[in-house]
Amino acid sequence: MSAATIILILLVGIIAGFINILAGGGSLLTLPVLIFLGLPSALSNGTNRIAIMAQNITAILSFRQSGIFHWKLGLLLALPAVIGSIFGAHAAIDLSDEAFNRILSIVMIMVLLVLVFRPHKQIRSRGVQLQLRQKVALVFIFLLIGFYGGFIQAGVGFLIISALSLFTQLNLVHINSLKVFIVGIYMFTSLAVFIINDQVHWLYGITLAIGTSIGGYLASRFAVKKGEKWVRIILIVVVIAMSIRLWYISS
């Protein structure tokens, strides 16, 4: 745990927090970096969740202060996500490092396609009227999303945005408020599973959390369209390189 390693984690956290606000997918950087630093996959997975938890709590408070807080729908979808996340976290802990790295490598490429084509950009600003069958469908979908979030988490925001855009027809601002609320709740339970199984590196996790908070703040001040474009380009290049590296270190 050298000073250089701590500084590296802090810088990666700042970049990831910046990317999360402008483009999304910051965990696609933080999780592989923790693995490259020598942490086992389960320990990296648990450690990464401290930063995610911190950033989502900050975002929830920000949305609530802005008057955007769909707590009833959020709780309805968070409950199945919590159940799924507990099973997903246990599955991640039981998985071998080689298998986890291979799966993460494939997931990174799949999320990369979402970053390139950005289907969530098609969302239009409309109201929300959920029928019973839609609520039932969303509960089942968020059970699966919760499992994925508990298992890997990287790129789960895109899954939530896609699901909510299909059913609720809310605009992207309101969908993001629901996203951070749901993730914040199930992240608490999935993180607890990793903590109970001693799969959290607290120093790295807290350092990463500080970095992502700084990055998120800087990104919120960086309200320039061209900024998002270049962040997405850099993220795409880095994700390709890291996914390839993850695949071959598993060989």
Side-chain angles (χ1 to χ4, degrees), residues 1 94 110 117 119 157 186 229 234 238-239:
M1 293 187 292
D94 294 336
M110 293 175 66
F117 295 107
Y186 82 66
K229 173 185 175 182
I234 294 171
V238 173
V239 167

Side-chain angles (χ1 to χ4, degrees), residues 1 43 59 112 138 140 155 170 206 211 225 230 239:
M1 293 187 292
L43 189 58
L112 180 63
L138 275 174
F140 177 73
L170 289 168
I206 293 172
K225 285 288 185 179
W230 283 105
V239 167

